[in-house]
């Protein structure tokens, strides 16, 4: 492909004298509700994986992700409940999502709370090439005990730079 300006919607970046690179953004929205059961590790939802975006990047990308969360499945103390969402990168680059880049929601003692949240991150440590970004989830009690969490309509947008 020539990445001509008449191709699919692209973002264009100056890559030096007389050089322009075209990059296509990646986006996935899952109109579904998923649950996560488990302790301290991030993983897929019980019902589905993702959202997932695979695209060609340079060394930097803007990553935006979010969802709606609910603590309606909590069986214990609401004040110690925690729901988190992060992302992994695989392919040319390996990044394992953790709390440093995660959305973390602690509802306090508010029973049956429902909230939408999102976050963005500029990732400047990518290896140029084909990279896959995948959202991951965690539901736990702050002491690490297993807990259930509900995640609705997860969304992932990646803009390579």
């Amino acid at each position: 492909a020539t990445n001509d300006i008449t191709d699919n919607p692209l973002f264009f970046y100056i890559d030096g004298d007389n050089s322009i690179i075209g990059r296509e953004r990646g986006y996935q929205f899952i109109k579904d509700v998923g649950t996560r059961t488990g302790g301290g590790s991030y993983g897929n939802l019980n019902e589905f994986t993702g959202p997932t975006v695979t695209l060609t990047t340079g060394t930097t990308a803007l990553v935006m992700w979010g969802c709606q969360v609910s603590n309606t499945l909590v069986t214990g103390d609401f004040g110690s409940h925690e729901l988190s969402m992060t992302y992994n990168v695989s392919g040319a680059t390996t990044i394992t999502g953790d709390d440093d880049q995660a959305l973390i929601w602690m509802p306090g003692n508010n029973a049956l709370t429902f909230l939408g949240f999102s976050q963005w991150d500029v990732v400047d440590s990518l290896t140029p090439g084909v990279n896959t970004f995948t959202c991951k989830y965690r539901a736990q009690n702050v002491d690490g005990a297993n807990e259930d969490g509900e995640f609705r309509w997860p969304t992932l947008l990646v803009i390579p730079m």
Side-chain angles (χ1 to χ4, degrees), residues 47-122:
E47 295 77 10
F48 54 86
T49 299
T52 299
V53 168
T54 300
L55 42 66
T56 301
T57 71
T59 59
T60 305
L62 175 63
V63 181
M64 293 174 267
W65 69 104
C67 67
Q68 296 176 350
V69 292
S70 172
N71 64 350
T72 57
L73 302 175
V74 174
T75 56
D77 174 16
F78 285 101
S80 63
H81 188 64
E82 179 182 292
L83 297 175
S84 306
M85 181 182 184
T86 189
Y87 63 89
N88 289 350
V89 182
S90 60
T93 307
T94 300
I95 298 174
T96 301
D98 58 23
D99 289 346
D100 289 341
Q101 71 213 36
L103 292 163
I104 299 175
W105 179 58
M106 298 176 75
N109 288 318
N110 300 316
L112 306 177
T113 302
F114 189 72
L115 175 75
F117 66 166
S118 63
Q119 184 163 317
W120 61 270
D121 189 14
V122 175

Side-chain angles (χ1 to χ4, degrees), residues 18-39:
N18 301 315
S19 178
I20 296 176
I21 293 176
R23 299 268 193 226
E24 190 169 350
R25 60 105 174 126
Y27 170 79
Q28 186 180 23
F29 165 74
I30 299 176
K31 191 172 184 177
D32 204 348
V33 178
T35 56
R36 173 76 179 154
T37 303

